[in-house]
Structure formats: structure tokens, C-alpha cells
Amino acid sequence: MASHIVGYPRMGPKRELKFALESFWDKKSSAEDLQKVSADLRASIWKQMAAAGIKYIPSNTFAYYDQVLDTTAMLGAVPTRYGWTGGEIGFDTYFSMGRGNASVPAMEMTKWFDTNYHFIVPELGPDVNFTYASHKAVNEYKEAKALGVDTVPVLVGPVTYLLLSKPAKGVDPSFDLLTLLPKVISVYKEVVSDLKAAGASWIQFDEPTLVLDLESHKLQAFTAAYSELASTLSGLNVIVETYFADVPAEAYKTLTSLPGVSGFGFDLIRGAKTVDLIKGGFPTGKYLFAGIVDGRNIWANDLTASLITLNGLEDIVGKDKLVVSTSCSLLHTAVDLVNETKLDNEIKSWLAFAAQKVVEVNALAKALSDQKDEAFFSSNAAAQASRKSSPRVTNEAVQKAAAALKGSEHRRATNVSSRLDAQQKKLNLPVLPTTTIGSFPQTVELRRVRREYKANKISEEEYVTAIKEEIRKVVELQEQLDIDVLVHGEPERNDMVEYFGEQLSGFAFTVNGWVQSYGSRCVKPPIIYGDVSRPKPMTVFWSSTAQGMTKRPMKGMLTGPVTILNWSFVRNDQPRSETCYQIALAIKDEVEDLEKAGITVIQIDEAALREGLPLRKSGQAHYLDWAVHSFRITNVGVQDTTQIHTHMCYSHFNDIIHSIIDMDADVITIENSRSDEKLLRVFRDGVKYGAGIGPGVYDIHSPRIPPTEEIADRVNKMLAVLETNILWVNPDCGLKTRKYGEVNPALTNMVEATKLIRNQLASGK
């Protein structure tokens, strides 16, 4: 019985690629240095999977930024503003598309389906000249082959690539991107021919858009694409891989009828209903790549239950055609549990990171081949039983409090218009108030202080003194810049979710459980293993300290319950909604303590609310109901004069705008600039928004400093569709990833642009 891995984490067990990328971007190392680090990581990954007995090992899943940007480079679909004139695409052009540069902005970045991973959105139009411009796929295949490892090259499928793209600026928004399919397929043919010539016997196309609710003409595009590719694919074994949800019945028919395809991959964790479709009919002689090991969470697989499922599938497709696989790429989980030295043994026994999941896949494959490792299965069963019976998982008081929430919508008693009036009387803010989203640059010195405090190398008194000094600097800077509503800069936090999780019960933490979010950005998701509660206040001391340094309003900064949920590895033994309600009650306690401490503006970030939206429409209303309800629970008890902000970023919001309104926040700051201001279209289309709103005026994920005139132009576009009295001016997101040399001039220009518009409004121009 064969085994298969859809994809693997690329940052390295100790974030080696992250540091190599940042060193290269800072011009502290060469391209050759970066390539050496990445080659060493790839070699280690391939050898590890080969040693574990995996038959179908992926290659070309190692991206320097993301796999969609890799595909854009492969197709030579470079927007003209980057000045690419042809030839093999190098790092300068590649990273300019992903990050921008001093003269041009980056391409839009958005979430990869319903994950916290991001991709760079292709910008296409009828005049794009597709050309084979990056040979990365074949180069990596040859690289692995030279190491004695025969891999399965992985490509983003041609239809998924087009469906994830957008019309370029200046192209009619109604332009049908699928009309570009023949041009795109011609390049894919060249790539496939190259891989065949290099000796590849298998190739994998990732087509995850097949799990979406697609219209018939989009499904027909898959048939057209693979029919056109069929002759080129002849002689190769071809996998079409799907993941993240059930495949709809019509899409299943389309997929399993594709010409030239040898096998089909399905996510049987988030798409368990697909098993029913397989039982209803699976094409004779085709391979089933059964994604039975969860690629998106860190819980050890229930091997006994999985084996039962696999035995049932084996009866349908045949012993020689069933391949045990991961549900999706392991990119979305942490790298190796071996590196976790501080997790206690009980919780550690419940977990499996990417390296352990590779072992699980192979153990299941061997069990199906009558080579079951009884000791391994027995140990796994003991861990499953331990987790179910452990007293540390359950807190009856928390469960009762969450159950008592049912029956109320938890809405503030006064409407938002009246609340804004009461808040303005207290805050006395100018027209177009300016603010930032929360974090300020995380300097080397600041990181050193936090690191030394955690390692007990400095005392708590020394730590508090250092953090207070950092807050003072951030407050003074904002006052000098003349920003209206201040933040304390979050110097005590390495990560917004990790910081809160460390102070809530029911959470566990890793030392090296890093997961890539985008580019070199990595996060370390907490593990929610049990019922959640707040033992004591979490932010009140720092927010009160910061407010004491200024007469201007100081925002209390919290992460909302839905974002904490979606950015954690969540327990899978109860509905996610139940866990979210528990977190909401903990944040509610914190909000009310902040208000008692005199904090009059409180931001409860829900950056990941849209991210958790189910991919299929049938599940979306239920999710939005409990997610929005959870947010309202956090602030239902505050006074009208306390202003509640929330923040969202880097997702598509237009389709959930009514749910955003239903959150009933007083002010929302939301990403806008990097996505070509498409958020504003919803207001142009007539949606009325009565609360305060701050669409971002510049992209903080690029080192580029936007000029004053550009920001003023963005604000004027906002004023064309939004009332003056509700508009705020702010960046797209927090500033922690930027340097002060970038932040200071960018915020200076933002404030100058705002004052320019205020003067124009005052003079009636």
C-alpha cells in the first residue's frame, strides 16, 4: 500500500528560511546564500520523507513567497509596472511582486482559501503575454533526483490559477479570466514536457477550487483544460488534488471524468462527506489518494478509526489503487514535535506535527499492507484515551457559563448613531480622526528584552521598566506626529494571539511550533486543548500605564474571540462555536476591566473573521451567526461612551458586509489599499454604513513609503462614498513588521494628507 504527502512546511524546523529571506532582503547576504539555505532545507525534507517510507514525495512545493506567485512567475504573468523585459524571472522581479519596492507597490495579497496562509493575487487581462519564464518546477525535480529521491512535481492547476486571479487595473472588471485558459495551457504544456524529459513519472495538479460552489461554465473549464493537456500528459501518471472541504456532487462528476488523469486526491477530514460520493461510484482503474491524516491541525490521528475508513475505501477502489495521504499540504501545521522541549508529556502525547504526520501516513499504509505496527497503534490508542478522559480538558463552570449564553443576541441597548454622538462629546475628536492599528516596529532590542525575560536572565522589574520606556517612546512619537487616537505599540507582545493564549486557561504553547503566514512571516499558533477562561486581567496594566502618559485617547488592544479561535490549533472534540463562546466570555471580562480602568476606546481585533468562513455557501450563514454573536458578547456590557473598535485585514469582505454591520462595532478599521480599494465598491453599490470606518490608506506589508498626495487621493475616493463624520484615516494593518525608518515618514505623510483634506473640507472645496 502506497503513501503520499500533498506538501510540506518550507520554513524549516527553526525558521531557517525566514532568517535567510530577511537577511537577503536587508542586503546582508547574497542570492547564493539564500539558495544554499533553501537547497539544504529541501534536501532534508526529501530525505526525511524517503526514510519514512513515503512513496509519493512532493517537489516544487518549496516557495520563497507562495506557490501562486511561483505560478505567476512560471507563466511570465508579470504586471508591466515591475519592468520585467523577459528571460528567467529572478529574485528582484519575484520579490517586487510579492513585497513591492521603493518605486512600485506590491500586488494584492489575500488569504489562501479559509487558512491563515496568504498568496499574491495574479493580475491578468486579455493582453498578458504568457511565456515560460521560471523553470523552478523542473529544476527542483532534478535537484531531488540528484539526491536519489524520485519526487512528484506539484503545480497549481491551470483552472484554479485563473479562478484565483483578478482582472488587472484598467481591465474591465467583468472580463472572464477563463478565456485566457488556452494561452495558459500552452505554457503548462511546456512545463509538463520539461518534467517528462527530466524523468518524472508522476505529476500533481492542485485544483482546490473544485471544492467551491462553481457555476457550470467553470466546471466545464476543468474538462477543457485537461482535455487540451491530455496528449502532453500521455505517459505520465497524473494526480488532481483537492482539499479544505467536501467536493460538491457535480464537481466530483467533473473531476473523476477528467481525461488523462490517473488519480484523485480528497480531503477526508474537512470533506468527510466526499466518502459518500466515492461509495456512490469511483472510476475503475483510477487511484484514490485518501487524505485521512489532518494537514491543518496538530492532533494525533486516531489510527484505529482511520484504518476502518481506509478498509471501507479499499473495498471500493481496490487494494492496489488506494493511497494513504494527508488531507492537504502540511504547510499549515508545525514542523516537528521533537523540537518541543517544554510541553508536558501528557499533552505532547496527544499531538502530531508535520514530521509525525508523515510517520502516521506510512503507518496506516503499512497496516493496510498487513504490516501493522502493533506497538505504534497501541501507543496511539492510549494517547486517544488519555485525551478523552483527562480532567484538565473540562471546566464545568466554563461550560455552564457558555451554555447560559443561548437565548440572547447580546446587543448593546443603544443604536450606533446615538453611541457615536455620546462618544464624540467625550472624546472631542477632529473630522477624519487618525489612528494606527495597534503594533509598532518590533526592534532587535525589544525582542532581546522579551527573550531575556522569558529565559529569566533579567528580573520582572527590569522587564517592566524596559517595556514602559518603549511605550513612552511610541506615545511621544505619535504625539509628535499629531495622531489623534493613540496605541501603546504592543511592545510586550510577540504575537497577538499567542500573547492572550498564554494568559488564558485551556491553552498550551510550543517553543518551535512555527507556521508560515506569508513571505517570511511566521506565527506560532497556541494549542487550545481544553475549556477556556481568564484567570486574571491580561492587558489592563499596560493600557493604563500608556493612558497615563498622554491626554489623548489611548486604545486598549485586544484580540477578538473569532480571531483567537481561527489563529490557534483548536480542539477537535467539540464544535468550534462552543470554544469560541468560551473565549468570548474571557474577552468580555477583559473589556469590562479596561473600561473600569478608564480606557474609553477599546479595539477588539477580528482580523480572521472572514478567514473562517466555510468555503461552501451551505455552511456560511451558521458560521457568521455564531462568529458575529461571539464578537457582540465581548462588549455588550460597556457604556455608550466607551468606543468599541474592531479591525479586519487581507480577505474579501464585500460578500459579508452585512454581517460586519451586524457586529455592531462603533468603528471598524479594515484593509483596503493593497486590494485596489475594492472594499469601496460595496459602498458605491449602495450599502449604507452608519458606524465609524477606516479603510486602510496604505499597505504596511511593503517597505514602500506612500507620498502625501497618494494618501490624500485615497481619502478623497473614500469621501466620495462615505460620510465625512464616520471616516477614519489609518494604515491597512499593524506596523510590527516594518522599521521605524519606514513607519515615521509613512505616518507623517498620512497625517499631512489628512490635514490637507480637513482644510479642503473646511474651506468648502
Side-chain angles (χ1 to χ4, degrees):
M1 190 64 58
S3 52
H4 167 250
I5 305 296
V6 177
Y8 201 82
R10 57 182 76 117
M11 280 289 128
K14 300 287 182 67
R15 295 181 292 162
E16 291 88 344
L17 182 59
K18 167 190 171 66
F19 299 122
L21 282 166
E22 291 172 355
S23 177
F24 174 71
W25 292 337
D26 290 341
K27 299 186 175 8
K28 295 178 180 177
S29 61
S30 67
E32 291 74 20
D33 294 329
L34 176 57
Q35 290 165 336
K36 169 90 168 48
V37 170
S38 59
D40 288 346
L41 285 171
R42 286 193 295 272
S44 174
I45 291 166
W46 291 327
K47 290 176 181 177
Q48 175 189 342
M49 284 193 264
I54 302 299
K55 180 175 180 180
Y56 300 111
I57 297 171
S59 61
N60 197 42
T61 60
F62 191 99
Y64 286 104
Y65 215 83
D66 76 75
Q67 67 273 28
V68 179
L69 185 59
D70 281 3
T71 310
T72 294
M74 182 185 83
L75 295 169
V78 181
T80 56
R81 65 180 178 274
Y82 298 108
W84 178 66
T85 56
E88 188 79 4
I89 288 177
F91 282 154
D92 284 350
T93 300
Y94 180 87
F95 288 128
S96 290
M97 288 191 286
R99 305 179 70 238
N101 58 44
S103 58
V104 292
M107 297 163 70
E108 179 185 353
M109 181 171 69
T110 196
K111 297 289 176 74
W112 177 245
F113 294 83
D114 58 347
T115 76
N116 188 30
Y117 184 68
H118 300 65
F119 72 95
I120 301 299
V121 181
E123 302 172 11
L124 305 178
D127 298 328
V128 173
N129 180 29
F130 294 100
T131 181
Y132 188 9
S134 170
H135 293 69
K136 176 178 173 291
V138 69
N139 290 342
E140 284 194 16
Y141 174 78
K142 290 177 179 177
E143 186 181 316
K145 193 173 182 181
L147 295 169
V149 182
D150 190 29
T151 60
V152 179
V154 178
L155 301 174
V156 174
V159 183
T160 287
Y161 177 79
L162 290 175
L163 291 179
L164 294 179
S165 301
K166 69 175 185 179
K169 207 166 187 176
V171 174
D172 187 334
S174 65
F175 174 69
D176 183 2
L177 293 163
L178 289 175
T179 61
L180 299 174
L181 193 57
K183 295 180 180 179
V184 167
I185 290 295
S186 67
V187 179
Y188 271 84
K189 286 182 177 180
E190 291 185 69
V191 178
V192 170
S193 296
D194 252 10
L195 289 167
K196 283 173 69 174
S201 57
W202 283 83
I203 188 169
Q204 175 178 315
F205 292 100
D206 282 4
E207 295 281 14
T209 51
L210 278 164
V211 306
L212 305 178
D213 296 306
L214 298 179
E215 301 95 326
S216 59
H217 78 280
K218 292 179 179 176
L219 288 176
Q220 290 165 10
F222 288 94
T223 303
Y226 286 89
S227 296
E228 183 61 28
L229 278 170
S231 60
T232 309
L233 293 171
S234 177
L236 278 172
N237 291 294
V238 177
I239 312 164
V240 174
E241 184 69 48
T242 67
Y243 36 78
F244 298 151
D246 293 299
V247 176
E250 283 303 310
Y252 179 82
K253 290 178 187 176
T254 298
L255 171 60
T256 53
S257 301
L258 291 178
V261 176
S262 315
F264 312 98
F266 299 104
D267 182 338
L268 302 184
I269 302 297
R270 291 181 175 240
K273 293 178 183 176
T274 302
V275 173
D276 294 331
L277 294 174
I278 296 168
K279 289 177 179 177
F282 190 80
T284 304
K286 302 291 186 179
Y287 289 87
L288 170 60
F289 288 76
I292 198 73
V293 172
D294 194 348
R296 288 189 53 180
N297 216 329
I298 43 67
W299 303 108
N301 187 274
D302 185 338
L303 296 177
T304 300
S306 293
L307 195 56
I308 292 170
T309 300
L310 291 167
N311 281 325
L313 294 172
E314 186 179 65
D315 292 340
I316 297 167
V317 305
K319 197 177 189 73
D320 62 329
K321 297 299 182 184
L322 181 63
V323 180
V324 182
S325 183
T326 53
S327 64
C328 62
S329 173
L330 297 175
L331 170 71
H332 308 287
T333 190
V335 178
D336 195 341
L337 196 56
V338 169
N339 297 316
E340 299 309 320
T341 55
K342 294 187 178 179
L343 278 173
D344 70 70
N345 289 333
E346 182 181 32
I347 291 179
K348 198 170 180 179
S349 74
W350 303 343
L351 307 179
F353 290 0
Q356 288 69 47
K357 290 176 185 291
V358 168
V359 174
E360 289 179 337
V361 166
N362 199 54
L364 287 165
K366 289 175 70 176
L368 286 169
S369 299
D370 301 321
Q371 301 174 53
K372 185 177 180 184
D373 185 335
E374 295 292 350
F376 188 69
F377 270 71
S378 177
S379 174
N380 175 266
Q384 299 292 325
S386 163
R387 186 175 166 218
K388 288 176 183 176
S389 61
S390 176
R392 68 198 302 177
V393 171
T394 305
N395 183 322
E396 288 188 14
V398 171
Q399 292 187 352
K400 285 180 181 178
L405 295 171
K406 294 172 182 175
S408 171
E409 292 193 343
H410 296 91
R411 295 183 183 275
R412 293 171 75 179
T414 311
N415 66 45
V416 69
S417 178
S418 299
R419 297 198 308 264
L420 288 173
D421 288 343
Q423 291 156 14
Q424 178 58 18
K425 288 176 183 175
K426 187 167 187 176
L427 298 172
N428 193 29
L429 297 172
V431 172
L432 307 180
T434 54
T435 190
T436 63
I437 304 306
S439 61
F440 265 65
Q442 299 270 312
T443 63
V444 172
E445 175 63 17
L446 182 56
R447 293 179 188 277
R448 181 192 64 78
V449 167
R450 284 202 306 263
R451 188 169 59 250
E452 290 188 354
Y453 177 59
K454 281 196 169 186
N456 296 316
K457 292 182 179 179
I458 61 173
S459 67
E460 182 173 1
E461 182 180 357
E462 290 172 309
Y463 171 73
V464 170
T465 299
I467 297 298
K468 280 184 177 180
E469 181 57 29
E470 185 68 22
I471 292 173
R472 187 179 305 281
K473 290 177 184 176
V474 170
V475 170
E476 289 176 354
L477 172 61
Q478 291 171 93
E479 288 186 330
Q480 290 166 9
L481 292 168
D482 204 16
I483 291 173
D484 301 304
V485 176
L486 310 189
V487 298
H488 77 289
E490 304 177 12
E492 78 284 14
R493 309 176 194 181
N494 178 63
D495 176 85
M496 58 190 284
V497 174
E498 183 181 4
Y499 175 80
F500 288 99
E502 285 178 338
Q503 301 180 78
L504 295 169
S505 64
F507 283 74
F509 294 88
T510 63
V511 176
N512 288 296
W514 297 99
V515 178
Q516 185 181 15
S517 179
Y518 63 87
S520 67
R521 170 78 171 138
C522 297
V523 294
K524 197 165 48 167
I527 298 166
I528 305 178
Y529 68 83
D531 291 333
V532 177
S533 62
R534 185 197 73 146
K536 61 182 181 180
M538 301 179 286
T539 66
V540 175
F541 173 77
W542 297 116
S543 293
S544 300
T545 297
Q547 184 63 81
M549 296 176 181
T550 181
K551 294 182 179 179
R552 302 188 185 206
M554 173 65 62
K555 285 197 280 191
M557 299 300 304
L558 305 175
T559 303
V562 185
T563 296
I564 290 177
L565 182 88
N566 285 335
W567 286 357
S568 297
F569 291 125
V570 183
R571 58 190 294 191
N572 57 2
D573 59 345
Q574 70 176 15
R576 291 171 69 88
S577 57
E578 294 300 315
T579 303
C580 197
Y581 284 140
Q582 293 178 3
I583 302 170
L585 287 171
I587 299 300
K588 179 177 185 289
D589 290 343
E590 187 72 12
V591 168
E592 292 172 3
D593 279 350
L594 282 168
E595 184 183 57
K596 289 173 187 173
I599 303 300
T600 55
V601 181
I602 302 171
Q603 181 170 309
I604 309 167
D605 285 348
E606 285 296 12
L609 185 136
R610 175 61 172 79
E611 175 185 312
L613 188 72
L615 299 175
R616 302 281 294 285
K617 291 175 183 175
S618 58
Q620 292 177 358
H622 175 64
Y623 166 79
L624 288 169
D625 180 62
W626 62 255
V628 169
H629 186 194
S630 295
F631 177 82
R632 290 199 306 264
I633 288 167
T634 65
N635 59 88
V636 67
V638 301
Q639 301 173 28
D640 287 355
T641 51
T642 297
Q643 190 168 84
I644 298 297
H645 288 222
T646 191
H647 169 66
M648 297 180 182
C649 58
Y650 299 107
S651 285
H652 298 294
F653 301 108
N654 294 23
D655 57 342
I656 63 163
I657 190 66
H658 293 290
S659 294
I660 292 173
I661 293 170
D662 197 38
M663 292 170 72
D664 199 27
D666 297 311
V667 178
I668 180 170
T669 52
I670 194 164
E671 182 272 324
N672 172 67
S673 65
R674 187 159 181 172
S675 57
D676 293 333
E677 301 166 340
K678 64 186 173 189
L679 171 70
L680 300 185
R681 292 175 203 158
V682 75
F683 302 113
R684 294 190 191 103
D685 292 341
V687 171
K688 299 298 181 185
Y689 194 79
I693 183 167
V697 296
Y698 79 90
D699 174 25
I700 64 87
H701 289 296
S702 170
R704 178 175 174 271
I705 298 166
T708 300
E709 297 75 14
E710 180 182 304
I711 296 176
D713 181 60
R714 287 191 187 278
V715 175
N716 277 321
K717 287 179 181 177
M718 296 171 191
L719 287 171
V721 293
L722 293 165
E723 297 295 328
T724 307
N725 65 331
I726 66 170
L727 185 62
W728 286 62
V729 180
N730 46 264
D732 266 348
C733 201
L735 304 170
K736 69 186 298 181
T737 61
R738 301 266 56 89
K739 299 178 175 65
Y740 274 105
E742 300 158 347
V743 166
N744 292 6
L747 291 180
T748 296
N749 292 351
M750 184 185 84
V751 173
E752 286 182 359
T754 304
K755 290 180 177 179
L756 181 68
I757 302 297
R758 285 175 186 162
N759 290 336
Q760 291 174 357
L761 292 171
S763 63
K765 291 183 180 178

